[in-house]
Amino acid sequence: KECSESEARIKAEAYCSVAERCRSEVAQKLWQWGAPAGAETSILKYLETENYVNENRYAIAFVRDKYRFSQWGRIKIVQALRMKHISESDIKEGLEYIDEEEYLSILNDLLARKKRTVKASNDYGRNGKLIRFAASHGYEMDDILSCLKQQGCGDEYME
């Protein structure tokens, strides 16, 4: 089913009014709605001039939400933003909004919760599982190791 350019623009305005959106998300929706082939560029340009879509604002909101609520690390956040075609400068600016103390506190809590459920025959196996778990959430190795040391998880294996 196709829709006209004006219908697609109105739908896109409503879509962007609900939550922060990036260009790639809006372009995907326009394609799903069956917007005319040449209309995508003009609709996106209109949405940017009217400030419905702002990639910088989107990157900041995305970073804040993902590290606080989804408990993602920097690596996973950066990868997700790159998949949405956000510019490196916007990604870098978004990452500056991470509060380092809160970020490490979230990682510490994440590891402490996981540590209670991990079954391993020794400290080495347990730490390996905890490291893989935190790395799968996108945290950097230095941060993971410092949090594990802080929790007293077998310092002799961390060298």
Side-chain angles (χ1 to χ4, degrees):
K1 183 183 174 192
E2 285 193 21
C3 62
S4 69
E5 184 173 346
S6 62
E7 288 174 335
R9 194 184 85 234
I10 291 168
K11 279 184 170 184
E13 287 174 354
Y15 178 66
C16 293
S17 296
V18 173
E20 283 295 337
R21 309 289 183 189
C22 66
R23 288 179 61 88
S24 63
E25 290 174 343
V26 176
Q28 178 68 27
K29 278 294 183 187
L30 289 171
W31 180 80
Q32 287 176 354
W33 293 330
E40 179 184 314
T41 307
S42 64
I43 292 172
L44 284 171
K45 186 175 271 191
Y46 168 79
L47 292 173
E48 285 178 340
T49 57
E50 294 297 318
N51 214 17
Y52 283 102
V53 174
N54 183 321
E55 301 262 305
N56 188 291
R57 192 176 63 212
Y58 176 81
I60 293 167
F62 186 89
V63 168
R64 185 179 49 244
D65 289 351
K66 291 302 179 186
Y67 95 85
R68 282 189 180 151
F69 303 121
S70 300
Q71 299 178 334
W72 285 8
R74 283 186 185 93
I75 296 169
K76 192 169 184 175
I77 292 170
V78 167
Q79 198 61 28
L81 287 171
R82 284 182 181 153
M83 288 176 63
K84 293 177 179 285
H85 307 290
I86 305 296
S87 71
E88 290 297 320
S89 61
D90 288 338
I91 292 173
K92 187 176 179 182
E93 187 172 338
L95 291 174
E96 289 174 6
Y97 282 84
I98 292 178
D99 177 17
E100 194 64 31
E101 192 174 306
E102 183 182 8
Y103 180 79
L104 292 175
S105 171
I106 290 170
L107 174 58
N108 231 337
D109 294 344
L110 193 66
L111 287 170
R113 280 196 315 269
K114 185 65 176 176
K115 187 176 168 183
R116 289 192 292 267
T117 63
V118 167
K119 291 176 177 50
S121 57
N122 57 27
D123 285 349
Y124 184 77
R126 182 196 64 222
N127 290 343
K129 289 180 180 184
L130 290 172
I131 288 169
R132 282 190 296 279
F133 174 75
S136 73
H137 277 72
Y139 288 94
E140 299 91 342
M141 189 58 70
D142 292 340
D143 292 339
I144 297 168
L145 294 177
S146 70
C147 285
L148 287 175
K149 284 182 183 178
Q150 191 177 7
Q151 294 180 9
C153 290
D155 292 340
E156 66 273 6
Y157 298 117
M158 301 292 186
E159 303 303 321

